[in-house]
Amino acid sequence: MVVRKPIKVTLASFVVASLCVPSVTLAMDDKNFSSSATCEEVLKSPDQSEILREEPVIIPGEYRDIASSTESAMRIKMLSGGVTCFDVRDWSVVEQFWISGDGRFFGFHTFGLEADGHHVVDRIASDIILETGLRPVFSDDATMFAAAQRTGAGWGNLEGLGVWRVGPDGTESVYKFNNGLLDGLDWRVDGWIGNDEVRLSTVHEFALGEDGDSFEEILTQSKRYDYRLIKRGADWELEDIDEP
């Protein structure tokens, strides 16, 4: 019998208060991202990727008025009329495209060499690129969204929990925690309660299946344990809300 101890993590130091955060969150350290009307920086830069892409990213038909691709670069149109460019040469697969109902947020998932993750473009400005690990879940009023990701290899572009606030001029990161998901598999955001509580669940690592079961089958057969990430004052706390 495995006894699970509740966890409670208070992380004031990881919370980004409004006085310390700019009005937008930038991803200038993402080597796959370049703000450029023509994407010439990507097209002229040497290809140092070990992935040999021989064709453009396949953009589903419903998104082709927003996105286009060559073998080297994918262009995303901004609401202002500009363009944000991604270097796709490190990505073997680009999929799971989506757009928010108001057209402001555009997202897609990527797989590459020792890397995978989800990218969300806030089309309000060309420099707002968010790395959310998996597709984020919005609160009911669409002013907040959250994401959770943990990969076995640790090569995802979030590898933790993240919460973002949507403002009229941009999107800001209000919480990010990368050290509390070590005892869970298949973390996911299940929904929001208001704008100050995120409901999450996971399968614990001691979950076992039958011989020959795939990882997906083990996840399907295993009990999910519920957690909440709740804002209290200036802090966010991750709590186990299952009975011991």
Side-chain angles (χ1 to χ4, degrees):
M1 177 178 179
V2 178
V3 178
R4 299 170 54 252
K5 294 182 179 180
I7 65 171
K8 182 176 181 180
V9 183
T10 303
L11 295 160
S13 62
F14 285 90
V15 178
V16 185
S18 59
L19 294 177
C20 303
V21 188
S23 61
V24 298
T25 299
L26 306 182
M28 301 306 292
D29 58 341
D30 180 358
K31 64 185 177 64
N32 287 90
F33 163 71
S34 174
S35 176
S36 169
T38 62
C39 298
E40 289 183 357
E41 290 88 345
V42 171
L43 297 176
K44 292 180 179 179
S45 64
D47 185 2
Q48 298 178 349
S49 172
E50 296 182 31
I51 297 171
L52 299 178
R53 173 174 287 280
E54 297 180 351
E55 59 184 18
V57 171
I58 299 175
I59 309 294
E62 62 266 38
Y63 304 117
R64 290 177 185 167
D65 60 334
I66 297 172
S68 62
S69 177
T70 66
E71 296 175 5
S72 302
M74 182 168 64
R75 298 172 175 84
I76 311 297
K77 294 180 181 178
M78 299 295 103
L79 295 176
S80 63
V83 173
T84 287
C85 181
F86 286 88
D87 185 343
V88 302
R89 293 174 295 187
D90 285 336
W91 296 337
S92 56
V93 177
V94 184
E95 59 181 14
Q96 301 176 31
F97 292 89
W98 61 276
I99 192 166
S100 59
D102 60 2
R104 174 170 169 175
F105 292 96
F106 181 72
F108 53 91
H109 201 83
T110 63
F111 296 91
L113 183 65
E114 299 185 354
D116 80 78
H118 206 81
H119 302 264
V120 177
V121 181
D122 185 346
R123 299 175 65 222
I124 212 80
S126 60
D127 289 339
I128 307 177
I129 312 297
L130 311 170
E131 296 182 337
T132 63
L134 296 171
R135 178 172 173 171
V137 176
F138 283 79
S139 61
D140 288 343
D141 66 2
T143 62
M144 304 286 288
F145 58 83
Q149 181 204 36
R150 184 215 170 189
T151 64
W155 291 328
N157 68 356
L158 180 63
E159 293 295 345
L161 305 178
V163 179
W164 293 264
R165 180 184 294 115
V166 179
D169 301 317
T171 301
E172 62 181 5
S173 172
V174 296
Y175 173 87
K176 186 172 286 186
F177 180 49
N178 301 104
N179 298 314
L181 304 184
L182 300 181
D183 62 345
L185 304 171
D186 193 40
W187 278 90
R188 72 186 185 198
V189 174
D190 295 318
W192 283 80
I193 297 178
N195 287 330
D196 294 330
E197 183 173 339
V198 183
R199 289 298 177 95
L200 308 104
S201 63
T202 187
V203 172
H204 278 234
E205 286 192 342
F206 51 74
L208 300 175
E210 301 295 330
D211 289 343
D213 285 350
S214 66
F215 181 68
E216 288 74 19
E217 289 171 329
I218 292 174
L219 292 180
T220 300
Q221 298 165 12
S222 299
K223 171 179 170 57
R224 297 197 69 85
Y225 292 92
D226 296 320
Y227 291 80
R228 65 182 175 187
L229 181 64
I230 186 167
K231 187 175 186 293
R232 292 193 172 96
D235 300 337
W236 289 80
E237 299 175 0
L238 178 64
E239 300 177 346
D240 183 342
I241 60 175
D242 269 325
E243 293 294 329

